[in-house]
Amino acid sequence: MNIKYDVLVSAQEISEKVNTLGAELTELYSGEEVVVIPILRGAFMFAADLIRAMDVPVRVEFLGVASYGEETVSSGEVRLTLDTSFPLHDKNILIVEDIVDTGLTLAYIQKLLQSRKPKSIRSVVLLDKPSRRTVEVDLHRTLFTIPDKFVVGYGLDGPGGFWRNLPDIVALREEMENTHSE
Ligand code: PRP
């Protein structure tokens, strides 16, 4: 399988920003416990690196959602594929998301988790595509603002669900965007 792409954010740049964010969060949550909630599937790699850069007591719970499936355009219908198992009442929740595009997914997640009456709730996002936003979402921190391109790598999938294991974040060339690998 081959894809044509341009590197948008290198593994080195990602690492630096993730470590800086980890240090900020260590200071912010000093003396507190945090329940980190990576949103499956795209955020698993970002979260794995981020929690290792956080020097506070961390629990990890996973939330699974799907809104795109095999499509490059959001269906607008967010489906919960996995819920958390740990009570979140009065806890500091840190949502870790790979990308905010329309904002529909994160808005859905924030509303869902807010209903469980946490002590605090913040969202940290690796990639922000503000040009595509259709709903406002509260973002504590975004690491990279990117143009409206189909990006894959560092956890984000591409055609056929592949390419999450690329260490860089890359933009697929236009001729690749609608192809699906077998
Ligand atoms: C992607 C991404 C976000 C969402 C962002 O999920 O991981 O959760 O889309 O898009 P939005 O802001 O337009 O709602 P996807 O459905 O591709 O699932 P995945 O994380 O399993 O790859």
Side-chain angles (χ1 to χ4, degrees), residues 37 63 80 83-84 86-91 93 95 106-122:
I37 306 184
L63 200 65
L80 195 63
D83 203 349
T84 56
F86 185 81
L88 299 173
H89 176 73
D90 208 27
K91 301 288 186 293
I93 294 177
I95 299 168
L106 192 55
Y108 171 88
I109 291 163
Q110 288 178 341
K111 192 173 171 200
L112 175 74
L113 296 181
Q114 198 70 60
S115 73
R116 297 175 186 177
K117 308 267 188 294
K119 180 177 180 181
S120 69
I121 183 164
R122 293 185 177 89

Side-chain angles (χ1 to χ4, degrees), residues 39-43 65-69 71 74 78-79 97-107 109 132-134 155-157 164:
I39 308 305
L40 298 177
R41 292 165 288 185
V65 291
S67 59
Y68 280 75
E71 308 304 319
S74 173
V78 183
R79 298 180 304 281
E97 180 60 298
D98 58 336
I99 186 164
V100 178
D101 192 316
T102 62
L104 290 166
T105 307
L106 192 55
I109 291 163
R132 299 252 312 156
R133 198 80 85 252
T134 59
L156 289 90
D157 69 326
R164 292 190 197 270

